[in-house]
Amino acid sequence: MSKIKAVLLMIGLTFVQTGFSQAETPSLTPFKAEYTAYRWGDALGTASMELEWLAGNQYSLLYQSKVSKFFLSDKRTEHSIFYLQDNQLVPKEYHYSRSGTGSDKQLDVTFNENQKRIQIKEDNDISTLPWRGETDNQLYRIALPLQLSVNKTQMNVSFINYRGEQKQYQIRVEDQEQIDLPFGELNSIKVKIVRQNSSRETYAWFAPELDYLLVRLQQFKDGEEQGDIKLTTFVQK
């Protein structure tokens, strides 16, 4: 696997848990965060994440990344439209696009709450699945911080990934660490993604002092680092 593909697989990683008890009241504050992507300490590109309030209880989450090394390049965009409804994050639309070295790809996912169906459009192919509570490929970036803020230590995962596949993972809190980032030193909560039958190990760090923002994400495969993204700037709107 090329260095570019390894890094992009890592920074496109997802895990989700959206449910809350009625006694818990999640809140969403619009922000923009920017990151630098590394592999073995070498900077390969950038990523950004932006949460915006649209109207009523509707929000937009936009994630973009751009990585290049020598003659290889990869640019990806993920865009989610979702609702905060009855203390839950409810996906409505998810759009994914990828361009650069190799084949371009586009995926559009629509969640129909009334019909309990998911429509997946991949390039020119359309398919449907029953909706059993899955969320989209990137809402973990909002949902997991909300879970950590109410002291959850284990979270189940059910989502549609950027290939249009149903996936399930488990997330568990590993430790609390002080980490040094381009943004500066931060206290953080370290979590691990637990997969079955996989040689990949993925860790994520969230900073309580920045509303539990995702501040670092690192992945290994067979003990070798595939990528490491670190926070560089953060602004609340």
Side-chain angles (χ1 to χ4, degrees), residues 155-217:
M155 291 141 274
N156 295 323
V157 175
S158 182
F159 63 96
I160 305 297
N161 69 8
Y162 67 91
R163 294 189 177 98
E165 303 166 335
Q166 293 173 306
K167 292 292 181 179
Q168 292 184 341
Y169 296 144
Q170 186 183 60
I171 312 300
R172 69 175 183 229
V173 172
E174 290 277 292
D175 204 354
Q176 296 187 20
E177 294 183 356
Q178 185 177 57
I179 55 176
D180 189 11
L181 305 168
F183 180 84
E185 287 191 358
L186 291 170
N187 294 317
S188 69
I189 298 172
K190 181 181 179 181
V191 305
K192 181 179 181 179
I193 299 173
V194 182
R195 298 182 181 86
Q196 293 184 347
N197 304 318
S198 176
S199 61
R200 289 181 186 166
E201 291 188 316
T202 305
Y203 300 92
W205 289 257
F206 297 83
E209 61 197 279
L210 299 181
D211 286 341
Y212 293 85
L213 177 76
L214 173 66
V215 295
R216 184 183 181 189
L217 184 67

Side-chain angles (χ1 to χ4, degrees), residues 30-70:
F31 68 85
K32 183 171 183 179
E34 296 180 336
Y35 305 83
T36 299
Y38 301 88
R39 190 167 192 250
W40 297 332
D42 293 333
L44 297 180
T46 60
S48 67
M49 178 168 55
E50 184 172 10
L51 175 67
E52 292 185 300
W53 172 70
L54 298 179
N57 61 348
Q58 189 173 18
Y59 292 83
S60 163
L61 181 63
L62 178 65
Y63 182 80
Q64 298 176 304
S65 64
K66 185 176 181 180
V67 175
S68 62
K69 184 72 171 182
F70 302 124

Side-chain angles (χ1 to χ4, degrees), residues 89-108:
L89 304 184
V90 181
K92 181 182 179 183
E93 299 176 19
Y94 170 76
H95 306 281
Y96 169 86
S97 64
R98 182 266 175 204
S99 61
T101 306
S103 301
D104 293 349
K105 180 179 177 63
Q106 184 167 329
L107 181 80
D108 300 289

Side-chain angles (χ1 to χ4, degrees), residues 120-158:
I120 300 171
K121 181 179 180 182
E122 185 173 4
D123 298 321
N124 294 320
D125 296 328
I126 298 177
S127 60
T128 60
L129 296 170
W131 186 11
R132 300 188 177 96
E134 295 92 348
T135 188
D136 72 27
N137 190 59
Q138 68 155 352
L139 280 185
Y140 86 91
R141 298 174 181 130
I142 303 300
L144 185 54
L146 293 175
Q147 293 284 339
L148 293 174
S149 73
V150 293
N151 301 316
K152 295 290 181 68
T153 59
Q154 291 197 27
M155 291 141 274
N156 295 323
V157 175
S158 182

